[in-house]
Amino acid sequence: MITSLAYFGATSPSYKEWETFGPQVLGAELVEPGPDGAVRLRFDEVAHRMAIHPGEKDGVAYVGWATTGQTGARRIADSVSAYGLPVEQASEPEAALRKVMGFYWFIDPAGIRHELAWGQMRPRTTFLPGRAMSGFRTGEQGLGHVVFAVPDLDKSDKFYREVLGFQLSDTVIDGPIHAYFYHVNGRHHSLAIARSPNEHAAFLHLMLEANSLEDVGTALDLCEDRNVPVTRTLGCHTNDRMTSFYLHSPSGFRIEYGWGGLDVDDLWVPRYYDRTSTWGHRHQHKELSPFLVLDPQAPSN
Ligand code: FE
């Protein structure tokens, strides 16, 4: 069983910028770099939940999911194999790079690399935010959520629900937008997918949830002070009730920085909305690419 979004990895020629952007704008803690020089960021009691690796192109390298231990991870890996996709088990050195005890990995039908991890390391040191803030809402709800555009929405929807075991939270259909949102814990969604306007998969954003609205306001001020493009203004989503704004990260993908997300439980019945936001979230900086096209060849270390 998948229990939460454990970690996220990207590659980027601008990876070094994350050494200041991560702590000073997002509030993450900069921890020891990976052997390849990857900038690693900590958000809570776990060693790190984000790594930006050096690379020639901006891209998503992997999405790491926490599971109910190796047996739980093995069960999902078997389902993925039965679906017809090759699954590999990471070597011990590969697992050590992620600071986990182990993981299986595979490339899904949309070209996204997923890792099914167990045993995320919790170091003896305490989390220290990179700037004054109240910290991140993570724990059992994991790092946050990731949103992808996929070329075959029905195929990906079936794969995430029937093979990986994601639970549908709701559907949003608004003009050209057709999106599904899925939960694996109390967080309204850990994964969402939208229909891609073309045959390419793309990464739309990573959401981080701060513990207070003040942290979101401070991040908004910092973006203005540092000329970090705010791609969607402050607003509130219809479905997960997140009060958030979107910023353009140094690596081309967007980060939704929010507070106040809705919790779901086992009695949740999937909902249907005709718009994504109740107020705000106006698009700005339309000259910037709205997403990052996925490169399945992205390095994995
Ligand atoms: Fe979001």
Side-chain angles (χ1 to χ4, degrees), residues 16 19 30-40 99:
K16 274 275 175 196
E19 287 179 353
L30 183 66
V31 294
E32 49 141 329
D36 60 353
V39 175
R40 287 167 160 176
K99 300 272 168 114

Side-chain angles (χ1 to χ4, degrees), residues 106-127:
F106 62 91
I107 310 282
D108 83 6
I112 302 158
R113 174 176 164 132
H114 298 271
E115 299 184 352
L116 305 165
W118 61 93
Q120 259 186 313
M121 206 257 275
R122 289 154 192 264
R124 66 192 76 185
T125 53
T126 307
F127 168 61

Side-chain angles (χ1 to χ4, degrees), residues 74-132:
R74 182 70 249 172
R75 243 176 240 139
I76 308 159
D78 288 344
S79 307
V80 175
S81 299
Y83 180 82
L85 294 173
V87 181
E88 299 212 27
Q89 181 168 0
S91 65
E92 265 182 43
E94 284 169 332
L97 292 173
R98 307 280 194 271
K99 300 272 168 114
V100 298
M101 294 192 73
F103 66 90
Y104 298 105
W105 68 271
F106 62 91
I107 310 282
D108 83 6
I112 302 158
R113 174 176 164 132
H114 298 271
E115 299 184 352
L116 305 165
W118 61 93
Q120 259 186 313
M121 206 257 275
R122 289 154 192 264
R124 66 192 76 185
T125 53
T126 307
F127 168 61
L128 182 66
R131 64 168 168 86

Side-chain angles (χ1 to χ4, degrees), residues 197-299:
N198 51 46
E199 72 277 18
H200 300 293
F203 181 49
L204 300 184
H205 67 265
L206 165 73
M207 192 284 302
L208 302 171
E209 186 175 5
N211 282 331
S212 81
L213 183 58
E214 281 69 24
D215 297 332
V216 177
T218 304
L220 200 50
D221 283 351
L222 286 165
C223 286
E224 195 181 325
D225 293 347
R226 291 161 173 261
N227 294 316
V228 174
V230 171
T231 57
R232 293 185 78 175
T233 60
L234 192 67
C236 185
H237 281 300
T238 49
N239 58 352
D240 69 354
R241 309 297 307 164
M242 192 75 73
T243 300
S244 59
F245 73 96
Y246 292 65
L247 59 93
H248 194 75
S249 80
S251 298
F253 63 84
R254 283 140 197 243
I255 291 179
E256 178 183 5
Y257 200 92
W259 165 84
L262 182 75
D263 281 4
V264 297
D265 60 21
D266 291 343
L267 300 174
W268 181 263
V269 176
R271 296 175 178 180
Y272 171 31
Y273 295 92
D274 66 354
R275 58 194 297 207
T276 59
S277 304
T278 57
W279 58 270
H281 286 153
R282 303 273 169 93
H283 290 274
Q284 302 193 121
H285 291 282
K286 288 180 183 163
E287 76 284 3
L288 295 170
S289 165
F291 48 69
L292 198 66
V293 175
L294 286 187
D295 177 6
Q297 302 308 318

